[in-house]
Every structure is written in structure tokens, then in C-alpha cells.
Amino acid sequence: MSKWPAACNGKRVAVLADLHVGSPHKGIDSLRDLVKQVNAAKPDLVVLPGDFVIQGVVGGSFVSPEWASKVLGQLDAPMGVFAVLGNHDWWLGADRVVTALSQNNITMLEDTSQKITAGECQIRLVGITDLWEGPHNVEQAMAGIAPDESVLAFTHNPDIFPELPERISLTIAGHTHGGQVCFPVFGCPVVPSDFGERYVKGHVIENDKHLYVSSGVGTSILPVRFLVPPEVTILEISNDGS
């Protein structure tokens, strides 16, 4: 990935999207194991692109954001742990989820930004609210950022990607679950996106802009994944233009 300060080369970003704590096999014990695994990977930065809760899924059980946040509060990264809300978090209650996360050392970036540093590495991290339920005020989120700052953005829904300015070096999103169920040749029957499979998962480059969509961890609606395994992503910043 280009447009990064040389001092940031090799910095690692862990992405935990769509945890949907309480979905089948993704209860609180599974979350504890996940946090331990992420910490063992020693990322420099952790971003949580929303959908911490699940309202209802066959075979699952509701886990409160207060309980899940206590476990997520054990995530450890020198550049910080940051979150935005997903549509399910808004449906449950945005204020409730924000409070739970904030009380457990997780910094919320809802249409705002924060300068993050590690030694001489300096990046502006921008959080953009959910496209379906949040204001998703990109201008407000980018306010006050100097022209020479390198910008890493994260949001829940990747459909906002075409609206984002080119000066953002990388945007990270979730929401799609990678399609959750995909078939060879036929693709993914259900993708919650107005763009079909255009932003279903992985690294997307359009008009010299970069997007990474995580397939996420939990499930929604049906407790099934097929050819789309759960994903915790570790992205590495590189200055070689790749």
C-alpha cells in the first residue's frame, strides 16, 4: 500500500469485523479465545468495524454489549483499539453500545478522526458511521486533517467506498460477511450490498483507491458459512506500492 510514511512500513493492523457475539459457536468463550489469539499476534493497531451484537439467529443466544465489551477491552495494541458501530448495533441502541465499548478502553470514532502514533510513524485514523443507520458524514469525519497526513479509514458498510476521497490511503470495512454462503461458478446468492459482489470481500482497487472488506467472524440470519470461513485479518502497511 502506497502513501504511507516510511516509518510506518511493517506496522500491522488487526481487523475484527462482524463479531455478532451470541451467534452460534461465537459466544463469550469464543470471544475470549479470539482476543487471546489477536493479542498473541501483537498487532500495532486494532480496528473493530461494527456489528458487535446479534438480535436473533437460529441456534444462537443474545449476548449483551456490556458483557462482550468487557472481553474486547482486553485487546492490546500500542497504537490503540478503535471501533465504529454497525447496523445491528444501531438497531439494538447506538448509545448503549457506544457506552459499553467506551467504558472498556475502546475508542469510538463515529464520523471523527484521531492521530495515532508509534515512534515516528504517524497516521490519521478516520471512523465513518454506518451507511444504513448512521449520519456517515464524510466531510465531518475528515475535518481538520492536514494535506500531508496519511489517512486510514474504517467503516462498517463498504458501499460508501465510491463516495470517499482519493486521499484516503486505505479503507477497511465489513458488513458483507464475504457473502457468508458462496458457491463455485454461481457466486454468493445473498450479499447485503447495492453493488452485488463488487465489494463482497478482500482487497479492492478502484480509481487508485484501496478498500479491504473483511469476511468477518460471526453469522447473521442463518448460522451457516459455506466456502467463506470466519476471518480475523492482519494487514501490514507497506511502502512498496503493493
Side-chain angles (χ1 to χ4, degrees), residues 46 49 70 105 122 204 219 242:
V46 177
K70 288 181 180 179
N105 302 314
Q122 294 189 357
V204 179
T219 54
S242 61

Side-chain angles (χ1 to χ4, degrees), residues 43-142:
D44 298 284
L45 171 67
V46 177
V47 296
L48 308 170
D51 272 5
F52 300 94
V53 301
I54 189 73
Q55 277 73 24
V57 60
V58 176
S61 59
F62 178 74
V63 173
S64 74
E66 291 80 11
W67 195 3
S69 294
K70 288 181 180 179
V71 178
L72 290 171
Q74 297 169 21
L75 287 164
D76 184 30
M79 298 179 81
V81 181
F82 297 85
V84 293
L85 300 181
N87 52 290
H88 280 268
D89 307 316
W90 282 88
W91 294 342
L92 179 69
D95 290 344
R96 178 181 177 183
V97 180
V98 165
T99 297
L101 292 166
S102 299
Q103 288 178 344
N104 286 278
N105 302 314
I106 297 169
T107 302
M108 302 300 302
L109 292 181
E110 294 277 276
D111 286 339
T112 188
S113 71
Q114 182 167 317
K115 185 178 290 185
I116 57 175
T117 63
E120 295 183 2
C121 172
Q122 294 189 357
I123 298 172
R124 181 74 74 149
L125 182 64
V126 175
I128 300 169
T129 51
D130 179 55
L131 181 64
W132 285 3
E133 302 296 336
H136 51 275
N137 187 329
V138 177
E139 183 177 355
Q140 176 179 304
M142 297 289 292

Side-chain angles (χ1 to χ4, degrees), residues 163-208:
E163 301 177 28
L164 301 184
E166 291 184 10
R167 63 164 308 188
I168 296 176
S169 297
L170 172 67
T171 301
I172 295 169
H175 180 64
T176 64
H177 298 197
Q180 197 166 297
V181 173
C182 295
F183 299 97
V185 181
F186 297 104
C188 310
V190 179
V191 180
S193 169
D194 290 338
F195 297 95
E197 295 187 32
R198 178 171 163 183
Y199 304 135
V200 67
K201 62 182 175 181
H203 187 191
V204 179
I205 305 173
E206 290 183 356
N207 302 318
D208 199 34

